[in-house]
């Protein structure tokens, strides 16, 4: 099974991807996570990507398309994968069609107010990358998976979030129409409880 998670920043793509990949044994391919790992390791890709990410802009299509094309040739991805955060432009979607057949696109949405509340409250483990929300964390809490320190992503500051939401509307939201026209789009209400969203996605995927 090869699927895409589509939706604005903070809607819950990463949170749901972790659960769905475990349940359906899919490789979780998050372009945001790959870019952040490259920034952490100081690679050339990381250095190039950092300035775009910190401003809430998209990394150029050519860079991202090559990265995903390579990742999809790895054995775990060939068996089945979930693309989280890719494609993000029509050009990326058109390129993807040349090297991967997609079974479904799960589109999640939520109000702008809720997205901002979720992103500003997000904390990420510096060690394992697990995601949390301050509303469900004790003060000074560490990661409950590995004990790592929790931090706020650079691009989760309010001024950057506003640009990320604008970029989503201008460059990524046209993919909703793109995949609707191809009969691949399935919509899920991202405002519901985390467990409810997971169950709704599972119900869709079990029918594929
Ligand atoms: P990326 O890392 O992909 O960020 P994003 O798409 O903006 O998505 P987020 O990670 O912000 O949110 P999410 O939907 O995963 O939400 P989460 O599950 O964490 O990309 C970062 C940057 O990299 C981009 O801006 C761009 O520069 C670059 N990039 C990446 N891919 C690219 C591409 N293809 N092309 C070009 N550039 C690219 O949840 C958020 C919070 O809400 C968490 O705290 C969580 O606990 C909480 N939460 C989640 N679901 C629920 C729920 N149902 N109820 C209550 N709380 C919830």
């Amino acid at each position: 099974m090869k699927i895409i998670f589509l939706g604005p920043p903070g809607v819950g793509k990463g949170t749901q991807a972790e659960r769905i990949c475990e349940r359906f044994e899919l490789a979780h391919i998050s372009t945001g996570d790959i870019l952040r790992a490259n920034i952490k390791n100081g690679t050339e890709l990381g250095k190039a990507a950092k300035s775009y990410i910190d401003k809430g802009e998209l990394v150029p299509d050519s860079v991202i398309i090559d990265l995903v094309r390579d990742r999809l040739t790895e054995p775990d991805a060939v068996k089945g994968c979930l693309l989280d955060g890719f494609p993000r432009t029509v050009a990326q979607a058109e390129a993807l069609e040349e090297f991967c057949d997609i079974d479904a696109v799960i589109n999640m949405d939520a109000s702008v107010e809720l997205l901002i509340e979720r992103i500003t409250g997000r904390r990420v483990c510096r060690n394992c990358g697990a995601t949390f929300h301050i509303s469900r964390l004790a003060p000074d809490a560490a990661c409950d998976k590995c004990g790592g320190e929790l931090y706020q992503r650079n691009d989760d500051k309010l001024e950057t979030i506003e640009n990320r939401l604008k970029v989503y509307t201008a460059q990524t939201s046209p993919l909703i129409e793109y995949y609707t026209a191809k009969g691949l789009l399935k919509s899920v209400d991202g405002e519901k409880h985390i467990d409810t969203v997971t169950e709704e996605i599972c119900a869709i995927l079990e029918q594929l």
Side-chain angles (χ1 to χ4, degrees), residues 81-155:
C81 63
L82 187 163
L83 292 170
D84 165 9
F86 180 92
R88 249 180 162 93
T89 63
V90 170
Q92 291 180 15
E94 287 171 349
L96 178 65
E97 266 173 38
E98 289 168 22
F99 53 83
C100 183
D101 286 327
I102 293 296
D103 297 298
V105 177
I106 308 291
N107 180 49
M108 288 174 246
D109 208 356
S111 71
V112 168
E113 294 72 22
L114 194 57
L115 296 173
I116 291 175
E117 191 266 320
R118 284 187 186 172
I119 302 174
T120 50
R122 172 167 50 196
R123 296 296 178 270
V124 182
C125 174
R126 213 177 272 290
N127 184 43
C128 73
T131 296
F132 304 89
H133 192 274
I134 48 170
S135 61
R136 295 183 287 276
L137 283 174
D140 299 327
C143 175
D144 65 4
K145 296 189 169 72
C146 73
E149 182 201 359
L150 304 184
Y151 78 107
Q152 184 174 36
R153 274 169 44 180
N154 251 349
D155 61 343

Side-chain angles (χ1 to χ4, degrees), residues 4-22 28-33 36 82-86 88 106 108 118 122 124 129-132 145 153 164 194 197-198 201:
I4 291 171
F5 272 8
L6 185 63
V11 76
K13 302 182 295 297
T15 302
Q16 296 299 333
E18 211 176 291
R19 293 165 165 224
I20 296 297
C21 285
E22 199 183 323
H28 179 194
I29 301 178
S30 158
T31 41
D33 286 350
R36 279 185 291 278
L82 187 163
L83 292 170
D84 165 9
F86 180 92
R88 249 180 162 93
I106 308 291
M108 288 174 246
R118 284 187 186 172
R122 172 167 50 196
V124 182
T131 296
F132 304 89
K145 296 189 169 72
R153 274 169 44 180
R164 283 167 65 196
I194 294 181
V197 178
T198 306
I201 297 172

